[in-house]
Amino acid sequence: GSNLGPAESRNIGARAAEGEYIAFLDSDDYWHPEKIEKQLAVFAANKGVGLVYCDQWIVGVDGHKMESKKLLLDQRLWEHLLRGWTAPNPSTLVFKRSVFMQLGGFDPQLRSSEDHDLWMRIAQARIPVAFCPDRLSFFSMGSPSRLSYNDGIRFNGLKPFLSKWRSQIVESYGRKHYKRFEADYVNKVAFPLVIDAIKKLDFLHALTIIWRHLIFNSLFYKQLSARLLRRLIRNLRSNAS
């Protein structure tokens, strides 16, 4: 059959679901056995909440677990999203099914950034959100099928996402802020792809991404120099010990 993309695939599953709550699990990710139980306890303690998410572990190619270092928020989401906050991935979400349907689900027009888009709509609709601080979901970075690391899909999804939200961001904070939001978002998408290409010693591919998407992006150079500095400090420490 045809590949419907992650947004429509999740929507089909949600429409078919019959329970009061729905949760998503991407094919590369996995859950802690107590994930759903703990998140339902948060729903029980917070009446009126439409969505409960949790923290996640990042699982590297070698299976090594790292903290996500995600900031968990439940207030002023629109403001935080427009200042560059990103939530943990969809495998951390548990929705009241009625709330998910009321939002219209994921936007099937978007082939990527559909999770970020959903959070923007959650924030705009002022859906009450809560979180469980435990790391109950495992995000597998190393999977070859990880959609986030398919350049074509990621970059093709960028423009429709940004153009969808441009006027509302300009309305909220002005044109200058939108330009900053755009630069930050492009960097968020492209930077990990550049690092991934460098790790694979595919320097031509890394340079192509930089040339096409990051050459005039000052945030990219700041992040790159910060990363190199951290690596240098790490090397000096390990040499000293």
Side-chain angles (χ1 to χ4, degrees), residues 70-87:
K70 286 276 183 191
L71 185 61
L72 306 181
L73 299 168
D74 54 10
Q75 303 291 325
R76 305 198 341 258
L77 295 178
W78 178 248
E79 187 186 320
H80 286 294
L81 283 160
L82 264 56
R83 296 190 187 285
W85 178 67
T86 55

Side-chain angles (χ1 to χ4, degrees), residues 191-210:
F191 189 83
L193 296 168
V194 169
I195 298 302
D196 191 52
I198 290 169
K199 280 180 180 168
K200 290 173 179 162
L201 305 182
D202 191 349
F203 300 114
L204 182 62
H205 187 45
L207 287 169
T208 305
I209 297 169
I210 293 166

